[in-house]
């Protein structure tokens, strides 16, 4: 509700969106109502995002949605991070206290556009090829859904489907758990040689395929090259994901440490000014019992700090008073 606080938070959200190249960043309050969004307006809470927000109170880590179509037909992936209060103040020996297990005070949505990083990666066939293509699919019930834009049939991401029972399509074989190098027919009805792998930690299946007319000269050498390429892509993607997560966490902790250092320096300057002020200054708790006093107060009233703390509330009298 503070205009200054809102402005500061919006500046932080803009920096986060620009630095990490998120499509949209939205801050939700404890009731999971959108409060701030960059860029505005806030996103419409569809079924997938609503399910993520409902899971925030019991979540112990960042929640991630699969690739899905938005209300406007756009494709994106959502990351929802619970925001919790810290259990205690940081200290020199313990600069990062653990978060409280209490109900989150809010959540942050980080929306990713796969056209910015995922689809370009898939479309960059790693070797010179006239027909080579990488497909990213997942199984939904008895169907295989294509998740990325296709080289030979653009504009079909998340809309092109076929039966998981198809015996010829490598994507259907992958949906049934058959992960190997195989021959088959692709979505165009063209004979292909493909390598099929599951993407660890996700429902995704990666299929690298080349038309048989191109790859059969020579067959064996090219088949091994495709398999090795797919494995390299998987390892590179996993390694890049780990590096990105570590870098993001390191940047966050560095910003938090800098903010805490600045707050501590300000507190020390305030304490120094208070301690050497020319006026008597007392610090009392909510019962009006004295808990701290500066040097001028001790000299004026003739008490030690321990004696002041033992005085009953309201019993301190001016020097010379009866």
């Amino acid at each position: 509700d503070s205009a200054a606080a809102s402005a500061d938070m919006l500046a932080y959200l803009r920096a986060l969106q620009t630095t990490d190249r998120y499509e949209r960043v939205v801050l939700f309050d404890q009731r999971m109502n959108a409060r701030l969004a960059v860029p505005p307006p806030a996103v419409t809470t569809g079924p997938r995002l609503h399910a993520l927000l409902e899971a925030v109170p019991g979540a112990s880590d960042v929640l991630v949605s699969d690739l899905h179509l938005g209300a406007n037909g756009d494709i994106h992936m959502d990351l929802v991070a619970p925001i919790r209060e810290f259990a205690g103040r940081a200290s020199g020996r313990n600069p990062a206290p653990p978060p409280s297990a209490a109900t989150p005070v809010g959540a942050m949505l980080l929306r990713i556009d796969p056209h910015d990083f995922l689809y370009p990666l898939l479309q960059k066939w790693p070797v010179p090829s006239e027909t080579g293509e990488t497909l990213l699919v997942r199984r939904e019930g008895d169907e295989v859904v294509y998740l990325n834009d296709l080289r030979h049939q653009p504009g079909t991401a998340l809309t092109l489907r076929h039966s998981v029972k198809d015996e010829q399509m490598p994507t259907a074989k992958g949906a049934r758990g058959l992960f190997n190098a195989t021959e088959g027919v692709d979505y165009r009805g063209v004979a292909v040689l493909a390598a099929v792998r599951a993407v660890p930690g996700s429902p995704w299946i990666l299929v690298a395929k080349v038309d048989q007319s191109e790859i059969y000269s020579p067959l064996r050498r090219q088949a091994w090259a495709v398999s090795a390429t797919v494995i390299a892509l998987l390892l590179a993607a996993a390694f890049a994901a780990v590096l990105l997560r570590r870098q993001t966490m390191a940047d966050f902790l560095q910003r938090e440490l800098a903010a805490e250092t600045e707050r501590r320096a300000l507190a020390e300057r305030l304490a120094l000014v208070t301690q050497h002020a020319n006026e008597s200054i007392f610090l009392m708790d909510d019962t009006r019992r004295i808990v701290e006093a500066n040097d001028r107060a001790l000299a004026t009233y003739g008490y030690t700090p321990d004696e002041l703390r033992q005085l009953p509330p309201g019993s301190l009298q001016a020097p010379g008073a009866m």
Side-chain angles (χ1 to χ4, degrees):
D1 296 327
S2 165
S6 295
D8 290 343
M9 181 55 68
L10 278 173
Y12 169 73
L13 296 183
R14 292 190 187 98
L16 181 64
Q17 183 209 17
T18 303
T19 302
D20 294 332
R21 295 170 56 185
Y22 294 110
E23 176 187 2
R24 186 177 296 273
V25 180
V26 183
L27 186 67
F28 292 85
D29 61 20
Q30 191 171 26
R31 296 183 179 180
M32 297 302 129
N33 296 319
R35 299 299 298 272
L36 296 173
V38 175
V43 297
T44 302
T45 306
R48 291 179 182 269
L49 178 54
H50 182 72
L52 290 182
L53 294 176
E54 282 191 334
V56 166
S60 60
D61 203 347
V62 176
L63 302 169
V64 183
S65 77
D66 203 344
L67 290 169
H68 59 278
L69 290 171
N72 298 325
D74 52 334
I75 302 174
H76 50 252
M77 177 187 293
D78 292 335
L79 286 74
V80 174
I83 300 175
R84 302 180 185 275
E85 291 182 328
F86 281 95
R89 293 185 176 181
S91 64
R93 296 182 179 179
N94 300 293
S100 169
T103 301
V105 296
M108 184 174 293
L109 165 67
L110 305 173
R111 173 156 290 182
I112 300 173
D113 185 350
H115 292 90
D116 290 339
F117 74 100
L118 181 59
Y119 291 169
L121 175 65
L122 295 174
Q123 291 166 356
K124 292 179 180 178
W125 183 256
V127 296
S129 172
E130 296 179 358
T131 63
E133 183 178 16
T134 303
L135 309 175
L136 191 66
V137 301
R138 69 169 178 247
R139 179 171 180 170
E140 290 186 3
D142 293 331
E143 293 183 322
V144 176
V145 182
Y146 291 78
L147 304 179
N148 64 306
D149 289 330
L150 305 178
R151 177 176 183 177
H152 307 292
Q153 196 170 332
T156 56
L158 288 176
T159 59
L160 181 62
R161 299 167 178 260
H162 64 72
S163 173
V164 74
K165 299 178 182 179
D166 193 302
E167 295 294 334
Q168 295 297 317
M169 286 192 170
T171 50
K173 295 179 182 180
R176 297 196 302 271
L178 302 176
F179 305 121
N180 50 26
T182 181
E183 293 181 345
V185 177
D186 69 359
Y187 56 88
R188 303 167 295 159
V190 176
V192 296
L193 181 66
V196 185
R197 296 289 186 272
V199 179
S202 78
W204 296 348
I205 301 165
L206 193 67
V207 179
K209 67 177 185 66
V210 182
D211 291 1
Q212 290 186 17
S213 59
E214 177 184 351
I215 203 170
Y216 268 162
S217 179
L219 171 62
R220 186 177 299 276
R221 182 172 58 85
Q222 282 289 63
W224 281 107
V226 172
S227 300
T229 299
V230 172
I231 294 174
L233 281 173
L234 288 174
L235 293 176
F239 184 71
V242 170
L243 287 181
L244 177 61
R245 181 179 178 86
R246 288 183 177 178
Q247 184 61 42
T248 302
M249 182 59 67
D251 292 344
F252 173 78
L253 293 177
Q254 187 175 7
R255 291 193 295 267
E256 288 295 307
L257 179 60
E260 180 61 27
T261 302
E262 184 177 351
R263 287 194 293 269
R264 182 173 298 179
L266 180 61
E268 291 176 353
R269 290 196 296 270
L270 180 60
L272 183 63
V273 171
T274 302
Q275 190 66 21
H276 298 284
N278 290 326
E279 301 293 337
S280 296
I281 300 176
F282 298 91
L283 178 64
M284 301 180 181
D285 60 16
D286 54 359
T287 66
R288 298 186 63 79
R289 183 182 296 275
I290 298 173
V291 296
E292 193 60 73
N294 67 349
D295 292 343
R296 184 58 179 264
L298 297 177
T300 301
Y301 287 85
Y303 288 98
T304 67
D306 289 338
E307 291 173 342
L308 284 175
R309 295 188 188 101
Q310 294 174 4
L311 292 176
S315 63
L316 182 65
Q317 296 182 359
M322 296 300 295

